Amino acid sequence: MFVSTFLTNVNLIIIDLLLILCISAVWFYCYAIYAAITFFATPQPIDLEFHPPVSILKPICGLDSDAYENFASFCQQDYPEYQIIFAVRNSQDPCIEVVEKIIHNFSDLDILLIVSDRVIGTNLKVSNLANAAAKAKYEILVLADSDIRVGTDYLQRVIQPLQDESVGVVTCMYRTLAQGWISTLEAIGTTTEFHAGVLVSNIQEKGIKYAFGCTIAIPKKVLEAIGGFEAIADYLADDFQLGYLPVQAGYKVVLSDYIVEHLHKSTTLIDVIKRQIRWALCKRVSRPWGYLGLIFTYGIVTSLLLLIATGGSILGWLGLSICWVTRLVMAWIVGTISLKDPIVKKFLWLVPGWDLLSFAIWCFAFIGNTIEWRGQQLKLTKDGKLLAQKDKSYELSIIN
């Protein structure tokens, strides 16, 4: 009798907790809809008379899909004066041939290729950036990953917030041009889950406090104020730190309404899971409380658990219906209407599958702290720094 009563009480507590999680998820979905509509309702102003010279830094390693088209898009800017610096470590890297072709085809532009194995920290991408920055002619630096493609108005729009002296960093969201089913699934998650969280954070915190590697516009004086690239050379989340540290120094980070395109090559499910775990670990150490709070956003999962816990009751079906409908509406508004992502429009039905996978990755990322990244065995410390490891059997191996 006692055991039966105890189990009944435990079951009621579980149902109550799941119900709370479902309600919180629906609230998050509704808030994300509001955040997306609010953010894109009024386009950010463009002053065509504001066009300071810019140095674009492109760290490269290996040959990305459609590399030439990606690089060429930065050479076709409707902008009066800018410089592009490509930086690579290995003189045998296949991307060098593509860059040389770019330099030849756009001979009227100021384009420079830096080949240097100088290392300033564990994160080799940051070393590439530091090597490129040493040759930058202009005060404003624009950092952009190698797999990013942009339109001709990119520079003019991205640098606009820097007219305000209090702004230290400008960054962008991105939509993924995926190739293959697995890449499409990951792209769905990026657009409808990750960027939804970014838009909510931007409203709640009155501006984000981090940046994204797809685009980071930062004046040299701001970079110097945080200690230069040396200050982030040992961090896995270098882009996060390039937003976070300027905020700590008294500057603002502005989220541009310009959406860049991220070219995502076809990949395997295992590679996606490993990459997502690496990113999840990165978020966990960068924003631990925010990462823990993601439990309140998994309505697809908690509504399924509620349905099971209630034995398929009316309450369970009602909770599931509301969560799933609200989640899909949010995904449509954020992905299709706001970010104009064609993948979401075509594959909206993949959202629940992604959320189930994302939840599993979220749980798994609470264990382990070692990654394998571009041939390096690295340990991730509690503050997000990378330490070199020699033992490849250490705890958890995550390959990019």
Side-chain angles (χ1 to χ4, degrees):
M1 182 70 175
F2 173 78
V3 174
S4 177
T5 301
F6 174 75
L7 292 177
T8 299
N9 290 335
V10 169
N11 188 57
L12 289 174
I13 292 173
I14 292 174
I15 290 173
D16 287 342
L17 289 175
L18 290 173
L19 189 58
I20 291 172
L21 291 175
C22 286
I23 293 172
S24 67
V26 170
W27 178 88
F28 171 78
Y29 300 152
C30 291
Y31 198 89
I33 292 172
Y34 163 75
I37 293 174
T38 301
F39 182 74
F40 289 100
T42 306
Q44 295 174 355
I46 300 176
D47 179 3
L48 296 178
E49 299 302 316
F50 180 73
H51 44 69
V54 171
S55 292
I56 300 175
L57 311 186
K58 300 282 290 183
I60 50 179
C61 178
L63 199 58
D64 291 318
S65 175
D66 300 317
Y68 181 86
E69 289 77 9
N70 297 344
F71 296 164
S73 69
F74 285 84
C75 302
Q76 298 165 338
Q77 294 300 299
D78 185 11
Y79 201 81
E81 189 174 8
Y82 64 100
Q83 170 194 32
I84 304 177
I85 306 174
F86 295 92
V88 62
R89 295 188 67 251
N90 188 350
S91 61
Q92 303 301 313
D93 197 303
C95 69
I96 292 178
E97 183 179 349
V98 178
V99 175
E100 289 175 341
K101 185 177 179 181
I102 287 287
I103 294 174
H104 177 267
N105 291 346
F106 295 93
S107 57
D108 57 324
L109 293 180
D110 185 358
I111 306 176
L112 185 64
L113 171 64
I114 302 294
V115 181
S116 173
D117 59 1
R118 183 178 75 101
V119 174
I120 64 170
T122 316
N123 188 327
L124 299 182
K125 171 189 169 183
V126 177
S127 293
N128 274 345
L129 287 170
N131 294 335
K135 299 294 183 178
K137 296 178 180 178
Y138 304 123
E139 170 61 22
I140 295 178
L141 306 177
V142 174
L143 288 48
D145 288 342
S146 60
D147 54 1
I148 298 302
R149 187 177 299 177
V150 298
T152 57
D153 59 342
Y154 165 74
L155 274 184
Q156 183 67 69
R157 289 178 57 182
V158 164
I159 55 89
Q160 290 299 313
L162 294 177
Q163 294 181 75
D164 183 348
E165 290 291 326
S166 67
V167 174
V169 174
V170 183
T171 193
C172 294
M173 293 182 287
Y174 56 92
R175 52 177 167 261
T176 300
L177 304 181
Q179 302 172 3
W181 280 98
I182 303 303
S183 296
T184 296
L185 179 64
E186 187 175 24
I188 287 285
T190 299
T191 302
T192 70
E193 179 187 51
F194 176 70
H195 286 322
V198 171
L199 290 167
V200 167
S201 177
N202 190 55
I203 294 291
Q204 280 190 330
E205 300 179 15
K206 302 185 185 303
I208 60 175
K209 296 176 173 58
Y210 43 87
F212 310 120
C214 59
T215 287
I216 299 175
I218 181 170
K220 285 183 178 179
K221 65 179 182 180
V222 177
L223 185 61
E224 292 168 359
I226 65 172
F229 285 116
E230 288 76 10
I232 63 168
D234 290 321
Y235 284 91
L236 172 61
D238 52 276
D239 50 358
F240 175 89
Q241 294 296 331
L242 279 174
Y244 176 76
L245 293 179
V247 169
Q248 302 307 303
Y251 291 96
K252 294 188 296 186
V253 176
V254 171
L255 182 65
S256 172
D257 61 1
Y258 188 89
I259 311 299
V260 302
E261 293 181 339
H262 166 237
L263 275 291
H264 198 342
K265 63 184 178 180
S266 182
T267 187
T268 67
L269 182 59
I270 297 300
D271 287 340
V272 167
I273 290 173
K274 289 178 178 179
R275 178 166 52 249
Q276 288 294 325
I277 292 175
R278 177 170 67 83
W279 290 347
L281 283 171
C282 182
K283 287 185 282 187
R284 192 198 76 195
V285 299
S286 298
R287 304 187 76 191
W289 288 109
Y291 187 77
L292 185 62
L294 290 176
I295 187 61
F296 296 105
T297 69
Y298 287 112
I300 293 290
V301 177
T302 52
S303 63
L304 278 173
L305 294 175
L306 178 65
L307 181 65
I308 295 171
T310 59
S313 68
I314 294 177
L315 176 63
W317 280 110
L318 183 62
L320 184 140
S321 299
I322 294 174
C323 280
W324 284 51
V325 169
T326 312
R327 171 68 173 106
L328 291 174
V329 170
M330 183 270 276
W332 181 267
I333 291 176
V334 171
T336 301
I337 297 178
S338 298
L339 298 179
K340 295 178 173 54
D341 191 323
I343 291 178
V344 177
K345 185 176 182 178
K346 189 176 181 180
F347 298 101
L348 183 68
W349 54 274
L350 286 175
V351 168
W354 170 261
D355 282 6
L356 292 173
L357 177 61
S358 177
F359 179 75
I361 291 171
W362 177 81
C363 294
F364 189 77
F366 279 102
I367 63 175
N369 61 352
T370 299
I371 65 171
E372 187 175 324
W373 186 27
R374 296 190 182 276
Q376 289 182 288
Q377 190 75 10
L378 304 167
K379 178 182 177 182
L380 190 63
T381 66
K382 290 183 179 181
D383 61 354
K385 287 187 175 181
L386 294 167
L387 299 176
Q389 296 289 314
K390 293 183 179 180
D391 181 8
K392 293 195 177 222
S393 64
Y394 192 95
E395 292 187 52
L396 174 67
S397 178
I398 307 164
I399 304 174
N400 182 9

